[in-house]
Amino acid sequence: MYEYIYGTILAVISIGIGIHLWRKRSSLRRLHGMSVCEKNELIDTLTEPFGYRYVPEWDVFSSRVDAWQKQFGYGAIYDWAASYFNMVLETLPVYFDYDGRTWLIQIWKGQYGICTGCEVGIYHADRIVAEKEREITIFHAADETEMLPISTELRWEGTLVAFRRERHWWLTIFDVGTFSQPEQLSLKISIRFPDPEMQDAFYRGLLEQGVDWNDIYTRFCTVYFSVPDGTVTLSRWKRMQSALAQRMNRFNCKLFNFVTRSCTGSRDRVLYLHFYFPFACRHILRFRHVPGKRR
């Protein structure tokens, strides 16, 4: 009787191992049989429904101009809920009044699940918002005519991760499989404004948020600045929650890199996971989750 049970268990384990090895080899053969163009086309097809695209020159992912996240705008509650989705971020909200409305240029850097990354978002209200109302207001994303030329340079302990320049409402960089603490990241940004009035209003907003004037440079309606560290003060509970999230993020990064160790580069690793374990791939491609929205 026991020999039959043990034999059945061993047979099931053997079949499982066999299926695992077959799926792994099949996925690798399929991946290695694709050209670079085919890989880029497939990765963009996979990421488009999630609002992102692949950037080959830096081997990172970035948000699309037509990303579905645009319809949700931005509210401070999104960042409050971030750690519940394993996002541990430092943020710099820059508010300023211009053209009869309160604008918000929101900046993030940190860990997004198994991705290290950063974001620069451009939003505005429909009116002038009092300072006490800012954190309870949902700001609308800038429309096509209001988007601004943005450049971002993200570094991890001094090593360049990626540089992006684009006219956008939400410019992002996401490096899959890399783990970091927010304070290990440095971020340099430039934003070109349509006129000196908007440039000066943003400049004053940076100073109000504690950015040192020595870290800001203006030229021809463009503001260049470095994002300071420690831009978020967390409660004791939030610190504990963020620490737990980071422990999970570190483990998941190691697991992702172990499972995809036969591949090099973010694109090939994600495609391999798509062939081998589609559900995990779809989960990874939700780089930035909007609370209340499921994809």
Side-chain angles (χ1 to χ4, degrees), residues 86-90 108-118 154-159 161 173-187 229 242-254 257:
N86 285 356
M87 293 185 290
V88 179
L89 312 171
E90 288 186 345
W108 301 263
K109 65 183 178 78
Q111 191 68 21
Y112 301 76
I114 67 165
C115 302
T116 280
C118 65
L154 179 66
R155 292 181 178 270
W156 180 84
E157 294 192 336
T159 301
V161 176
I173 294 172
F174 297 110
D175 186 18
V176 182
T178 300
F179 177 81
S180 67
Q181 300 292 349
E183 59 270 19
Q184 292 177 295
L185 302 174
S186 59
L187 184 58
D229 293 327
S242 296
L244 290 173
Q246 283 292 68
R247 291 185 65 177
M248 182 175 292
N249 289 337
R250 186 191 296 271
F251 172 80
N252 288 338
C253 280
K254 290 181 178 179
N257 289 320

Side-chain angles (χ1 to χ4, degrees), residues 7 57 59 93 100 104 109 120 137 162 203 227-228 254 273 288 294:
E57 56 267 36
D59 192 35
L104 166 63
K109 65 183 178 78
V120 181
T137 299
Y203 180 89
V227 177
K254 290 181 178 179
L273 209 59
R288 180 58 141 135
R294 292 188 173 273

Side-chain angles (χ1 to χ4, degrees), residues 82-98:
S83 59
Y84 291 101
F85 299 96
N86 285 356
M87 293 185 290
V88 179
L89 312 171
E90 288 186 345
T91 70
L92 178 66
V94 183
Y95 297 93
F96 59 98
D97 296 334
Y98 168 77

Side-chain angles (χ1 to χ4, degrees), residues 10-29:
L10 288 174
V12 171
I13 293 174
S14 299
I15 292 171
I17 293 174
I19 292 174
H20 162 73
L21 292 175
W22 175 82
R23 285 178 60 86
K24 180 178 180 179
R25 291 169 182 166
S26 176
S27 298
L28 285 173
R29 282 197 301 269

Side-chain angles (χ1 to χ4, degrees), residues 48-255:
E48 181 179 1
F50 297 94
Y52 303 101
R53 65 186 182 88
Y54 178 64
V55 184
E57 56 267 36
W58 293 104
D59 192 35
V60 298
F61 294 87
S62 187
S63 48
R64 298 170 57 90
V65 171
D66 60 352
W68 58 265
Q69 291 90 336
K70 187 173 186 176
Q71 63 183 299
F72 290 92
Y74 169 79
I77 191 173
Y78 296 172
D79 286 343
W80 179 86
S83 59
Y84 291 101
F85 299 96
N86 285 356
M87 293 185 290
V88 179
L89 312 171
E90 288 186 345
T91 70
L92 178 66
V94 183
Y95 297 93
F96 59 98
D97 296 334
Y98 168 77
D99 195 26
R101 297 180 291 184
T102 296
W103 290 71
L104 166 63
I105 295 184
Q106 180 78 24
I107 300 160
W108 301 263
K109 65 183 178 78
Q111 191 68 21
Y112 301 76
I114 67 165
C115 302
T116 280
C118 65
E119 310 169 75
V120 181
I122 302 175
Y123 310 92
H124 62 72
D126 294 327
R127 56 184 175 83
I128 298 295
V129 177
E131 185 174 349
K132 63 181 180 182
E133 299 178 44
R134 289 174 176 176
E135 292 193 356
I136 59 173
T137 299
I138 299 298
F139 289 80
H140 307 294
D143 63 31
E144 186 174 353
T145 62
E146 298 166 333
M147 295 189 302
L148 301 174
I150 309 169
S151 72
T152 58
E153 179 185 285
L154 179 66
R155 292 181 178 270
W156 180 84
E157 294 192 336
T159 301
L160 182 62
V161 176
F163 175 82
R164 298 279 295 115
R165 179 186 287 122
E166 191 173 349
R167 187 173 180 272
H168 219 300
W169 65 274
W170 179 44
L171 188 62
T172 65
I173 294 172
F174 297 110
D175 186 18
V176 182
T178 300
F179 177 81
S180 67
Q181 300 292 349
E183 59 270 19
Q184 292 177 295
L185 302 174
S186 59
L187 184 58
K188 291 184 178 180
I189 297 171
S190 73
I191 305 174
R192 191 173 75 214
F193 295 94
D195 55 55
E197 183 184 354
M198 192 174 189
Q199 171 202 275
D200 293 343
F202 177 70
Y203 180 89
R204 291 191 296 271
L206 284 174
L207 295 178
E208 289 173 3
Q209 286 301 101
V211 179
D212 193 308
W213 67 271
N214 288 310
D215 293 327
I216 310 172
Y217 173 70
T218 62
R219 181 179 174 85
F220 300 131
C221 293
T222 302
V223 179
Y224 305 82
F225 62 100
S226 299
V227 177
D229 293 327
T231 51
V232 176
T233 303
L234 298 176
S235 65
R236 183 178 180 182
W237 164 246
K238 275 294 184 180
R239 287 198 301 270
M240 293 173 58
Q241 191 178 41
S242 296
L244 290 173
Q246 283 292 68
R247 291 185 65 177
M248 182 175 292
N249 289 337
R250 186 191 296 271
F251 172 80
N252 288 338
C253 280
K254 290 181 178 179
L255 179 62

